[in-house]
Amino acid sequence: MEVYVLAVVVIIVALIFDGVNGFHDAANAIATAITTGALKARTAIIMAAGMNLIGALMGTAVAAVIARDIVDMTQVSAEQQYMTQVSAEQQLFLVIAALLGAIGWNLITWWFGLPSSSTHAIIGGLMGAGLAEQIAGNDVHIKLAKVVEKVIDPMVLSPVVGFGLALIIMVILNKIIKKANLKETDKFFRSAQIFTSASLALGHGLQDAQKSMGLMFMAAAPVGFFGIKPGQTEIPLQIILMASLAISAGTMAGGQRIIHTLGSKITVLSPQKGFVAEAVSSAVLFISAYFVHAPISTTHTVTSAIAGTGASDDIRAVKWSTLKNIVMAWIITVPSAGLIGFMFEEIFRMLFM
């Protein structure tokens, strides 16, 4: 297959993944606001689409992690044209196999209404495709140390932090508003949720659109699209804009199944709980993107924060059976998406490489 045509196909598939991510994960940002009545579903989805678009333009540090810190491919010099083309094809097929692994797993979990992580689906897809190439003896290596530092550690810590912070803040807030008029309190926090859900959607765009940026960069770099030069690490503006628009368009498609799971199947949400869950989740997303430079999961963080607010009333207020199913989906996301990515990479390697 002509390498330039393949690069275009890979970029298109990356944009499709970005769109799937939009309707799959954007539900995380607006589920609580819709459930508590702070926003109507259509209004919330339009708001989330706009915030996703803006958030996607606010940074590229996470994109760099996806592009450089999961798998390593030995690059040959630009003067060796034939070898460069072979290396380019290798990298392009690896990226498209990773994307198909992530898209496949996202659609499976979306169908069953499970808020799994698109972040870890794409990382699993990359690792699976990379493992297939590594087993085949090609110059592809999974950066295990970086995966632990940038993926595994944040994957464990972000839900713990989300749960713990939401629990503590909710306990304190309950004491503060204990004697306040319930009707007035609910009204205030419903209004406040408009801002916290917007902030959460902004954080989702900042985190999740960057994953597609990193993949599009991996597809464009070997063939020099968008003026990318050998050794360049900066993400071109064209890629940033395309990823921003794709995730925003995907958000407009909705995500009602996952909204229902997050909004009503974990705990009974009040406007106060929705406000706290959104505020905590957006803070964790922004801190991770700007200071830790780690691709954490919006899904993990929001779900844990919602559970934390529920546990502030009574440990029995959390529907642990539902949460157990969600956590199981989290645990198997990386290996499941990795298996699909591995299978596609094997198919591509047998047919085209």
Side-chain angles (χ1 to χ4, degrees), residues 45-215:
I45 289 169
I46 293 171
M47 179 273 293
M51 291 298 103
N52 269 311
L53 177 63
I54 296 168
L57 299 171
M58 292 173 61
T60 58
V62 173
V65 171
I66 296 295
R68 299 196 301 266
D69 290 344
I70 307 300
V71 294
D72 176 43
M73 296 188 70
T74 302
Q75 298 294 317
V76 293
S77 66
E79 290 77 20
Q80 295 173 301
Q81 278 191 325
Y82 177 73
M83 288 301 292
T84 301
Q85 180 165 321
V86 170
S87 180
E89 287 182 347
Q90 235 183 342
Q91 183 160 327
L92 289 166
F93 278 118
L94 186 147
V95 174
I96 197 168
L99 282 163
L100 291 173
I103 291 171
W105 185 245
N106 269 359
L107 291 174
I108 290 168
T109 51
W110 167 79
W111 180 257
F112 289 103
L114 291 173
S116 69
S117 168
S118 293
T119 301
H120 297 119
I122 195 56
I123 290 168
L126 275 171
M127 291 177 67
L131 182 61
E133 285 298 303
Q134 190 170 325
I135 290 173
N138 294 319
D139 289 324
V140 178
H141 307 281
I142 298 170
K143 297 183 175 181
L144 287 176
K146 283 290 185 181
V147 169
V148 170
E149 176 191 349
K150 294 292 186 180
V151 179
I152 304 300
D153 288 348
M155 181 172 70
V156 174
L157 286 175
S158 59
V160 173
V161 171
F163 182 92
L165 275 179
L167 174 61
I168 292 167
I169 293 171
M170 197 68 223
V171 168
I172 295 170
L173 184 61
N174 283 337
K175 291 184 181 296
I176 294 172
I177 64 174
K178 187 176 182 180
K179 295 182 180 179
N181 182 283
L182 183 60
K183 186 176 180 180
E184 290 298 317
T185 302
D186 284 353
K187 183 179 178 181
F188 171 80
F189 281 105
R190 281 196 186 94
S191 299
Q193 269 196 276
I194 296 172
F195 299 98
T196 52
S197 59
S199 174
L200 184 52
L202 198 69
H204 175 253
L206 173 65
Q207 272 278 346
D208 284 49
Q210 288 194 51
K211 287 121 195 183
S212 297
M213 290 179 204
L215 294 166

